[in-house]
């Protein structure tokens, strides 16, 4: 689930910086996918780089020194200020949407601090005003399990029940947990051209195995013209969501499905996307608005769910210092003198995407908790087939984000 904006030229320096941050975020998306898919484990995978990005940016807002420098380097060449502006722009965009705007999109940010401690006023003001974060005191020391359940309920309620029990029992430590930072995204979109359930039939989906393994899954079918672009080695299908415009709703969202020609071609496609520059690759492969005649169109009806400890993934991509005890978090939280060091202990990430004949429902959540260093007690052909019966890549894209100016 990635509401991937389109980077386009803008006159003002600020908008150029935002476009650069968007390109960085697109590149981060591919880096995360390559890191996760390179472990040899065969599984369906759903992630939200946008949710992870939000939490990393909130961490950067309270970091200093080498830790801040490494976070900014990890985010990309545009710099920390550009990424903070991007995260703020996304939050403002989502919060500015009317209730009746379609697709329905929700973004929320939460910061929970141990009730006996205080956030630095500048940090508290920044996360609330720029990132629309709800800041709350939480009795981690007195009742850590009650605090965990309450935070989990926040994620569950705001994702319409898609994200449940993000943090497992025992995840937080009554004596060490000082702070929890969370982000969630939720989307409910209806296809502009829905599929007819009467034509949904089971068929073989081929796995990326040498022995040609397959599983039976329901396939949605359509004979209507479709937005498809064909490229050497792969095709791209664009499925538009219904759009009801209101305040904050002048955005066109769509799902893009990248289908390799070869059944085992997904990993090679990911590498091509990465080497070409993710944002540029995506923009270059957007199908033309005029639909093409379709011969055979089959898209699996599916629900994909992934939950992971993203700490190892982030460390594998070079983000290491935030997970070591350091005093570089002094701009985030007030601690008694002599101030103990802090570190990010865990980064949990969960993403759920459900696609059916009507549309898409998706949710993602990311949580980072910080521990103190000691106990707190001190381009189209004439006709195209598009049969997604083997591994493919999909993303959710906003065609109009930053397209004016």
């Amino acid at each position: 689930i990635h509401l991937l904006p389109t980077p386009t030229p803008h006159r003002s320096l600020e908008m150029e910086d935002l476009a650069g941050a968007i390109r960085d975020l697109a590149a981060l998306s591919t880096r995360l996918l390559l890191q996760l898919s390179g472990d040899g484990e065969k599984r369906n995978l759903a992630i939200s780089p946008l949710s992870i990005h939000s939490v990393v940016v909130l961490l950067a807002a309270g970091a200093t020194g080498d830790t801040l420098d490494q976070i900014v380097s990890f985010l990309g060449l545009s710099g920390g200020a550009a990424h903070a502006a991007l995260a703020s722009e996304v939050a403002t965009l989502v919060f500015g949407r009317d209730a009746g705007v379609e697709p329905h999109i929700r973004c929320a940010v939460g910061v929970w601090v141990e009730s006996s401690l205080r956030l630095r006023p500048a940090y508290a003001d920044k996360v609330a005003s720029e990132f629309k974060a709800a800041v709350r005191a939480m009795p981690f020391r007195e009742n850590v399990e009650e605090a965990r359940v309450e935070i989990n309920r926040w994620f569950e309620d705001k994702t319409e029940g898609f994200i449940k029990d993000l943090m497992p029992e025992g995840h937080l430590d009554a004596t060490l947990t000082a702070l929890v930072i969370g982000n969630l995204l939720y989307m409910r979109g209806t296809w502009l051209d829905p599929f007819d359930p009467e034509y949904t039939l089971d068929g073989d989906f081929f796995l990326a195995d040498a022995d040609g393994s397959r599983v039976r899954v329901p396939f949605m079918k359509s004979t209507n013209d479709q937005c498809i672009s064909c490229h050497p080695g792969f095709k791209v299908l664009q499925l538009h969501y219904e759009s009801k415009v209101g305040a904050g709703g002048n955005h066109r969202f769509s799902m893009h499905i990248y289908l390799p020609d070869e059944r085992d071609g997904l990993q090679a496609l990911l590498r091509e996307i990465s080497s070409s520059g993710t944002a540029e690759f995506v923009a270059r492969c957007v199908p033309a608005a005029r639909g093409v005649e379709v011969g055979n169109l089959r898209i699996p009806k599916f629900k994909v769910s992934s939950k992971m400890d993203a700490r190892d993934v982030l460390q594998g991509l070079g983000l290491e210092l935030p997970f070591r005890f350091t005093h570089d978090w002094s701009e985030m939280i007030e601690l008694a003198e002599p101030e103990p060091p802090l570190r990010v202990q865990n980064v949990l990430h969960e993403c759920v995407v459900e696609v059916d004949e009507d549309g898409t429902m998706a949710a993602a959540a990311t949580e980072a908790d910080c521990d103190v260093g000691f106990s707190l007690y001190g381009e189209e052909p004439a006709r195209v087939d598009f049969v997604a019966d083997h591994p493919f890549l999909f993303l959710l894209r906003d065609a109009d984000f930053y397209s004016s100016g």
Side-chain angles (χ1 to χ4, degrees):
I1 172 174
H2 186 12
L3 310 182
L4 186 64
T6 305
T8 55
H10 292 83
R11 289 187 293 272
S12 72
L13 177 62
E14 180 183 1
M15 295 309 289
E16 288 176 0
D17 289 345
L18 285 172
I22 293 167
R23 289 192 291 270
D24 287 344
L25 175 56
L28 175 60
S29 304
T30 311
R31 288 162 55 202
L32 287 166
L33 281 172
L34 285 170
Q35 183 76 7
L36 287 164
S37 61
D39 59 7
E41 184 179 347
K42 293 181 172 61
R43 67 195 187 281
N44 293 324
L45 181 64
I47 62 169
S48 173
L50 191 60
S51 178
I52 294 172
H53 176 269
S54 172
V55 168
V56 174
V57 167
L58 263 74
L59 289 170
T64 61
D66 292 341
T67 301
L68 175 59
D69 291 344
Q70 189 175 88
I71 294 175
V72 171
S73 176
F74 170 81
L75 289 171
L77 297 175
S78 298
H83 281 275
L86 174 58
S88 176
E89 189 77 9
V90 169
T92 301
L93 163 69
V94 174
F95 273 82
R97 291 170 67 89
D98 285 342
V101 172
E102 294 288 345
H104 176 61
I105 298 172
R106 179 182 301 145
C107 171
V109 177
V111 177
W112 299 267
V113 61
E114 210 302 302
S115 54
S116 65
L117 304 173
R118 288 184 61 213
L119 294 181
R120 296 282 184 189
Y123 181 76
D125 290 345
K126 185 180 184 70
V127 297
S129 62
E130 296 187 19
F131 308 117
K132 312 302 180 186
V135 180
R136 299 179 179 89
M138 192 61 63
F140 296 124
R141 181 189 300 181
E142 295 178 0
N143 196 329
V144 70
E145 280 303 294
E146 180 181 298
R148 179 190 66 86
V149 169
E150 184 173 337
I151 296 172
N152 278 348
R153 188 180 301 116
W154 180 83
F155 282 105
E156 182 175 351
D157 290 347
K158 292 187 177 296
T159 60
E160 307 293 333
F162 262 56
I163 304 294
K164 296 180 179 180
D165 299 324
L166 177 64
M167 297 183 291
E169 186 175 351
H171 178 75
L172 301 177
D173 190 304
T175 62
L176 299 177
T177 300
L179 185 73
V180 173
I181 296 173
N183 166 272
L184 65 85
L185 298 170
Y186 172 79
M187 173 187 172
R188 183 179 69 247
T190 302
W191 300 127
L192 183 62
D193 182 17
F195 295 86
D196 189 335
E198 290 188 6
Y199 295 111
T200 299
L201 296 171
D202 286 352
D204 290 333
F205 186 93
F206 297 88
L207 307 180
D209 293 332
D211 60 0
S213 301
R214 65 192 72 185
V215 293
R216 299 288 289 180
V217 302
F219 280 90
M220 305 179 296
K221 301 177 67 177
S222 176
T223 58
N224 297 338
D225 289 357
Q226 300 290 336
C227 295
I228 300 176
S229 60
C230 298
H231 310 271
F234 68 98
K235 302 183 186 78
V236 180
L237 169 67
Q238 182 178 22
L239 297 173
H240 293 278
Y241 294 104
E242 185 177 88
S243 178
K244 294 181 181 178
V245 177
N250 56 334
H251 292 263
R252 297 171 299 158
F253 290 91
S254 58
M255 174 178 284
H256 291 216
I257 299 178
Y258 293 72
L259 180 67
D261 292 346
E262 301 298 327
R263 289 175 179 171
D264 61 350
L266 182 56
Q267 197 68 20
L269 177 58
L270 281 172
R271 289 193 294 268
E272 181 180 354
I273 294 173
S274 179
S275 63
S276 301
T278 305
E280 293 81 0
F281 185 96
V282 170
R284 187 171 66 246
C285 295
V286 173
R290 177 180 57 83
V292 299
E293 182 182 355
V294 171
N296 186 7
L297 179 81
R298 289 191 289 146
I299 307 298
K301 176 179 176 179
F302 65 88
K303 183 175 182 178
V304 179
S305 177
S306 298
K307 186 173 183 178
M308 69 191 77
D309 185 344
R311 171 176 173 162
D312 291 343
V313 178
L314 296 175
Q315 288 181 314
L317 292 174
L319 189 61
E320 299 176 341
L321 294 182
F323 303 101
R324 301 176 185 173
F325 281 117
T326 176
H327 289 91
D328 287 351
W329 304 107
S330 58
E331 298 299 312
M332 179 182 285
I333 193 168
E334 294 181 354
L335 295 167
E337 295 289 348
E339 289 193 358
L342 281 173
R343 72 173 178 187
V344 177
Q345 176 64 21
N346 304 286
V347 179
L348 296 183
H349 180 72
E350 184 170 359
C351 185
V352 183
V353 182
E354 185 171 359
V355 174
D356 62 17
E357 293 88 353
D358 295 325
T360 304
M361 293 182 69
T366 306
E367 171 271 337
D369 48 271
C370 299
D371 285 2
V372 292
F374 62 89
S375 170
L376 274 180
Y377 293 110
E379 158 225 282
E380 323 301 342
R383 182 170 177 169
V384 177
D385 290 340
F386 196 97
V387 181
D389 63 355
H390 53 279
F392 56 85
L393 169 70
F394 69 90
L395 57 83
L396 306 182
R397 183 175 183 267
D398 176 357
D400 292 319
F401 203 41
Y402 307 137
S403 61
S404 62

